Every structure is written in structure tokens, then in C-alpha cells.
Amino acid sequence: MKQTLTEKILSAGAGRKVKAGEVVFVNIDWALVQDGTGPLTMDVIEELGKGVTNPDRQCIFLDHASPSSKSELSDNHIKLRKASEKYSMRLFEVGEGVCHQLMAEDCVVPGDVVVGADSHTCMAGAFGAFASGYGSTDIAVAMATGKIWLKVPSAIKIVLEGELTYPTLAKDLILYLIGELGASGATYKALEFTGPGVETLSMESRLTICNMAIEAGAKNGIMPADDKVADYILEHRGVSFDFERLRADDGAEYEREIKINLSELKPQVAAPHSVDNVTTVEELQKEKIKIDQVFIGTCTGGRLEDLRDAEKITRGKTKNPNVRFIITPASKKIFLEAMREGLLDSFMETGAMIGTPGCGPCVGIQGGILGQGEACLSTANRNFKGRMGCGESFIYLASPATAAAAALSGEISSP
Amino acid sequence: MSNKGIEISGRVFKYGDNVDTDQIIPARYLDTSDPEELAKHAMEGVDEDFAANVSSGDIIIAGKNFGCGSSREHAPLSIKGAGVGAVIAETFARIFVRNAINIGLPIIELSGFEAKTGDEVVVELRRGKIKNLTSGKEGTFTHFPEFLSEIIQAGGLMESVKKDLSEF
């Protein structure tokens, strides 16, 4: 039986060879919750009364309200700190960074099965891992038992060729793909990225791409692990980690194949209120859409590479006076490095404000909430109606380069 | 007039495609996990009057990709807390399906069933039958696989796991 990469990893997790369509129990390597979903998970674990399995591989992240903007959210943080102490689970404090970024920096290795009570858990697929988002109760049961039940997904093969050319970035590729697939075009399925184009992508770009697989409804996004993954682990954890270079079998079955030439892509924007509402910046800039806030940050735009790509455009320039320009590095490590490189100085000279590592205003519960009729150009992964606050506001998603261009011009414009 | 997930009857609330989790329950209300508190803001992003108008047993009928977006279990919890007897949609997003099953909110995948907001509808979950009492139109749907039905009947995943934790 020829297997996809997802089937291979889930076979290892299930302890037998599995194929798409089977419902199986799989051993998990990591489970995570964040401060939005975690309190409910802890209630369920408490009620189950069986404690947790492998507590050093169960992670609690305080990132969505970082720092807390409301006493009720602070109470949730207290609850999660107490749970981490009671069950000896790993706790990542307020200000450390976005859960998915910290999982990438500290935890995941190729071949892992990663489950999390956050839909963007699929980001860890960039390590050649199976990673998928679930609800609080599913994760509670996974934490208690060390297993999760799931249906092995069929897969869509995304063949990447060519190479991205600045200012076209990873975000442009994944927005383009979501536009092609539609918001439910990959529901229940794996998105398996392959082809020579994958090797040309940096690890940071791969993380952004896999993160947004869920925006086409996918169960997971995955890329084969190579030397760049090994280098990333060495750089962030100081250890040489040797792993099997797992690949899909030649002749593995895919539902569909989509070819994308990275060299031909142009900067893209997802217009309100759906991530698949995608058009090119070139086309949309004709409409002269006024932007009130530019937000560069999150698990799909707040990495070092993203900040460098944005700063190239803003360096030595002054932001548009009508724009609030917010930069939120995705982790403390990224914040420190950006500071050492002078990126933060440069952004502040342009007129930006720098936020605490974490999710920033992405989910509308801390600094940078939008008002009536306002428009934000964001490097985040979701532009649903009302997500960043007011129901009558408008979120456009684009790359850090396009966001930087908008900070200067005050409207959606080519980087 | 809902009856433990076997027969459900109520009025229809009709919505379109891609009703996402930020419309079902925005993150600003996630500081509680109490279904009754969440219910006060259920569906707020798509229908501001939903919470005020919904009654126990009422039925949501929507288009494609219902519940897409976040993994927040608060989304089905807010709907269940509002007393909704079942959600019918052409398709559901993956995580929403699991969450709904886990917390014991009946969901039905069904395309083309004609109903408009305010119609009276009766759903027989086990028999896979639905009838619009206002128009007289009937429909059928495929029931869940047995093990998923058992989770729903038990009142959600946790209750079902508690019954037999040794299975894991």
C-alpha cells in the first residue's frame, strides 16, 4: 500500500499501517491549550479525575491576552497557572509569545503527532509532523489518555515549483492557494506540500503556509522535513536532532493535485470577511482603500523574517499620519533579536508602536481593537466579521511587505 | 419541546454559507465557559436578535461550512446554551463537528431542505426524518455512525469517556 506522508505519520502513531478513511486511535506527542480554550479543558480534566498522561508534553500557553486586558481573563490565567502546577504541565507565561511559535521554537520534531485546542495548531506541519486543531473537550481527553481518535484524512497534493521573489512572500502563496481552494475546499483533508519549491522556502515561510491550511478547512498541512528543519531545531534548541527523512510514497493516492509556480505569484490580499476572498494587491489598489490600522504580527506574520521583510520597506521613512502602525513580535526570542538587529528602532522611527509578544489584536481582546467602520491591514490569518472588535469593521489580510507599504501610503498599495 | 435528542421540534432560524466562529461567538465573550452566559451572545455576529428570539428546541438551518474558523468549543456551547435543539447545515467545518458531538449538540448534514425563518419543523434524529410543519415538506438524512450517536446520547464525549475510561 502506497502512503501519503500524513498516512505514514498516523500509522506510526496508531502502531499499524493505516489508510485514508479509517477511524483510529493515535498516540500523541504533544497537546496544547491556550488561554481562550484552556479553562474549559481544565474543567473537563478535573471532572474526568484521572490526571494527565506525560505532563511534560502537555503545554499551556498564556498568549491570547498577553498581557491581560480584563479581570475575567486574568482570572482565567490564574486558573491555568494553578492547573499547570497541579498536573505538572508545562506553562508558557504571558509575554513569552504565541503558542504555535513557541511549539516551533521549543517542542516539535519531525514525525510528531501534535494536537491543540487552537485551530492553527496545524502550523507544526512545517516540521513534517501531523498537527491539527481540536476543541477543548477533545484536548482534555487527549491530555488525560495520551491518545486522540481521528479519521485518517485523504489528501490534496500541492506541488510547488520555482522560487518566491521579494516582495512576494509566503503569505501571498497561501492566500493564493486558499483563494483557489475556497474556505471549505479542503475540509477533512490533508494539504501535502511537495515539489522542488518546498526546499526553496525558509522554515519561517513554511510555518506561515502550514498555519493557514485550516483556512481552507483542512485537517492538517504538512511539508516533508529536510536539512532546514534540522537547522531550525539546532538554532532554537541548541541540539542536533537526527530524524528519518519521511516522504510520501511514489504512487500514493491523492484526491487532487494543484501545481503552483512560486516565481509567477504576485502579492495577494484577502478582503473582508472571508479568507478565500482573495485578489491581487495590484488589482485591489485601484480601489484606493483607506487603512486606519496596520498590524504586523501573529503566528503568520510576526517572525523575524516577516519583520525584516517589512522593515526593508519602512526603513528611513515616516508612516502615514492617519495610520496606527502596530508591530507585535510573535515571541520573546524574536523580540530580542529584532531589537539587536535594530529593526524595532527603525520601526519606531517610522512611527510604529511595539507590542508585547503574543497574539496582539488578532482576536480583538487586547490593544488595537477596531472601531465602527475602520479598516485594518493585518498579517494575521483570519479576517472574519467582527474578529478584531467592532462588527462593522473591515480586516484585510496580506504579507508583511504589503502591510508595510500600507503603513506608509495609508491605503492598500503594492509593496 | 425538545426530547433528549430523539425528537426535536421548534422554529427555524435560517442563515447562509460560512457562518464562522467569530459570528457565532466573538472572542471577547470567551472569558466564561458557562453555556447560559455564552448563550446571551450566541450568533450575535450574524443575527443580533437571535439570543432574544430563540426558544428551547428551535432549529438553526444554514448553508455550507457552518462553524468554520476557530477551535473554540464555546461556539456549539453558546448555541446549545441558547436551547437550540439541532443545527442543520449543507456542510459543517471539521472542528465544529467534533465539538458539537463532544458537548452533545445534535447536528445534521442535509442539503436542499426547504424552510424559512419562523417555519415549524420536527426532526426525528434516530429515524433520520425531518418535516416542515408549515409547508408540509419532508426530508431524510443519514444518521451518524453508531459510536458517534452513543457519544451524543451519553451527553457528550466526557460522559461517554467517564463510562469507560479503560477503553483508552
Side-chain angles (χ1 to χ4, degrees):
Chain A
M1 185 174 75
K2 308 289 189 191
Q3 289 187 302
T4 65
L5 182 51
T6 300
E7 286 171 328
K8 284 190 180 182
I9 293 169
L10 292 178
S11 294
R16 66 181 176 84
K17 212 163 185 184
V18 301
K19 62 176 193 302
E22 284 185 66
V23 175
V24 294
F25 279 95
V26 177
N27 291 317
I28 56 166
D29 295 290
W30 298 98
L32 73 92
V33 297
Q34 31 90 338
D35 45 354
T37 59
L40 201 46
T41 300
M42 297 311 144
D43 288 345
V44 178
I45 289 175
E46 194 68 24
E47 203 169 321
L48 286 172
K50 297 282 178 186
V52 301
T53 305
N54 298 329
D56 53 336
R57 287 178 166 268
Q58 320 286 9
C59 305
I60 299 173
F61 296 91
L62 309 182
D63 58 353
H64 281 59
S66 171
S68 170
S69 55
K70 218 172 154 184
S71 66
E72 290 87 346
L73 295 171
S74 305
D75 291 343
N76 284 343
H77 286 176
I78 292 170
K79 179 174 179 169
L80 291 171
R81 286 189 192 103
K82 281 186 180 157
S84 88
E85 203 170 316
K86 177 172 178 183
Y87 298 113
S88 307
M89 298 157 97
R90 286 179 75 169
L91 179 75
F92 294 79
E93 262 294 346
V94 168
E96 292 290 326
V98 185
C99 55
H100 310 301
Q101 178 59 25
L102 297 171
M103 288 297 290
E105 289 178 6
D106 286 1
C107 301
V108 183
V109 298
D112 275 354
V113 173
V114 184
V115 298
D118 187 289
S119 61
H120 296 110
T121 301
C122 53
M123 186 174 101
F127 282 83
F130 173 85
S132 190
Y134 297 86
S136 297
T137 301
D138 268 327
I139 294 305
V141 172
M143 286 176 156
T145 63
K147 293 177 198 292
I148 197 156
W149 72 263
L150 53 82
K151 191 163 146 189
V152 180
S154 59
I156 298 174
K157 188 179 189 176
I158 312 294
V159 183
L160 302 181
E161 290 163 347
E163 196 166 351
L164 291 170
T165 323
Y166 186 88
T168 302
L169 303 172
K171 176 61 66 59
D172 300 307
L173 160 63
I174 190 62
L175 287 178
Y176 171 81
L177 178 61
I178 293 161
E180 291 296 297
L181 285 167
S184 58
T187 299
Y188 291 112
K189 302 183 199 338
L191 286 184
E192 293 207 352
F193 294 87
T194 180
V198 173
E199 287 168 29
T200 69
L201 296 167
S202 70
M203 195 56 201
E204 302 201 331
S205 290
R206 296 179 196 182
L207 291 165
T208 295
I209 293 162
C210 289
N211 178 297
M212 291 182 69
I214 178 69
E215 304 310 328
K219 177 174 276 184
N220 66 310
I222 191 165
M223 295 181 179
D226 59 11
D227 290 347
K228 282 188 181 167
V229 175
D231 293 346
Y232 189 88
I233 292 171
L234 180 64
E235 181 193 339
H236 288 278
R237 302 173 213 169
V239 290
S240 291
F241 184 79
D242 198 22
F243 53 87
E244 190 186 349
R245 303 296 202 255
L246 275 183
R247 297 283 179 276
D249 290 324
D250 288 337
E253 260 183 60
Y254 288 91
E255 286 215 350
R256 206 182 147 183
E257 184 174 318
I258 297 173
K259 271 197 179 122
I260 300 174
N261 188 337
L262 301 176
S263 311
E264 289 170 3
L265 279 178
K266 290 178 174 172
Q268 312 280 318
V269 182
H273 298 286
S274 142
V275 188
D276 62 353
N277 190 12
V278 176
T279 179
T280 60
V281 177
E282 207 172 23
E283 196 52 40
L284 203 62
Q285 70 178 350
K286 292 177 192 159
E287 296 180 25
K288 304 216 167 294
I289 295 161
K290 193 178 145 292
I291 296 295
D292 302 288
Q293 177 170 299
V294 168
F295 170 43
I296 297 181
T298 81
C299 44
T300 62
R303 279 180 277 279
L304 205 52
E305 172 182 272
D306 302 313
L307 302 184
R308 287 175 184 149
D309 285 337
E311 195 267 345
K312 274 184 211 164
I313 289 168
T314 57
R315 190 183 304 158
K317 302 209 169 80
T318 305
K319 74 167 180 72
N320 183 288
N322 299 318
V323 171
R324 305 182 298 276
F325 186 19
I326 300 173
I327 309 265
T328 307
S331 74
K332 191 161 91 181
K333 198 181 243 180
I334 294 165
F335 192 113
L336 282 167
E337 186 52 34
M339 196 157 59
R340 287 189 196 108
E341 285 185 22
L343 298 174
L344 301 186
D345 292 41
S346 169
F347 282 130
M348 288 193 79
E349 278 159 16
T350 294
M353 27 192 159
I354 315 292
T356 310
C359 300
C362 177
V363 282
I365 56 169
Q366 65 178 60
I369 294 168
L370 301 177
Q372 191 83 24
E374 286 196 315
C376 177
L377 184 57
S378 164
T379 62
N381 40 24
R382 213 164 258 162
N383 61 349
F384 296 160
K385 192 166 181 279
R387 181 172 176 88
M388 290 180 77
C390 175
E392 293 310 311
S393 57
F394 303 87
I395 307 168
Y396 294 84
L397 305 178
S399 77
T402 304
L408 300 182
S409 66
E411 55 187 47
I412 292 176
S413 51
S414 286
Chain B
M1 212 176 68
S2 74
N3 184 10
K4 289 264 171 194
I6 310 262
E7 184 174 305
I8 299 156
S9 71
R11 286 170 310 148
V12 169
F13 286 79
K14 186 89 187 275
Y15 304 109
D17 293 341
N18 296 321
V19 174
D20 61 60
T21 48
D22 279 301
Q23 292 180 71
I24 297 171
I25 185 87
R28 60 184 173 275
Y29 302 125
L30 302 192
D31 48 23
T32 174
S33 310
D34 177 359
E36 281 181 23
E37 281 300 311
L38 292 167
K40 292 177 186 166
H41 304 287
M43 305 294 287
E44 193 173 280
V46 65
D47 178 357
E48 279 185 0
D49 302 323
F50 179 83
N53 293 338
V54 70
S55 311
S56 180
D58 283 351
I59 289 160
I60 290 175
I61 300 185
K64 297 189 180 89
N65 206 22
F66 187 89
C68 61
S70 156
S71 67
R72 66 189 68 149
E73 205 161 289
H74 310 70
L77 269 182
S78 71
I79 292 173
K80 191 184 178 194
V84 167
V87 181
I88 299 169
E90 287 179 41
T91 59
F92 289 92
R94 183 187 69 86
I95 303 175
F96 186 89
V97 169
R98 290 186 70 118
N99 285 344
I101 291 167
N102 287 344
I103 64 146
L105 171 69
I107 52 169
I108 295 159
E109 209 166 81
L110 177 63
S111 293
F113 182 72
E114 284 177 37
K116 55 185 193 308
T117 294
D119 284 0
E120 291 281 341
V121 164
V122 177
V123 178
E124 293 178 71
L125 268 189
R126 280 215 168 271
R127 294 174 65 199
K129 290 193 167 176
I130 178 167
K131 184 168 184 183
N132 185 332
L133 299 177
T134 309
S135 70
K137 295 221 164 94
E138 295 185 25
T140 58
F141 55 88
T142 311
H143 195 49
F144 285 120
E146 203 53 35
F147 86 102
L148 289 184
S149 300
E150 280 168 14
I151 291 176
I152 295 173
Q153 291 296 314
L157 180 63
M158 184 173 46
E159 295 304 319
S160 139
V161 170
K162 274 201 286 193
K163 277 186 186 161
D164 190 8
L165 228 149
S166 60
E167 225 181 77
F168 287 79

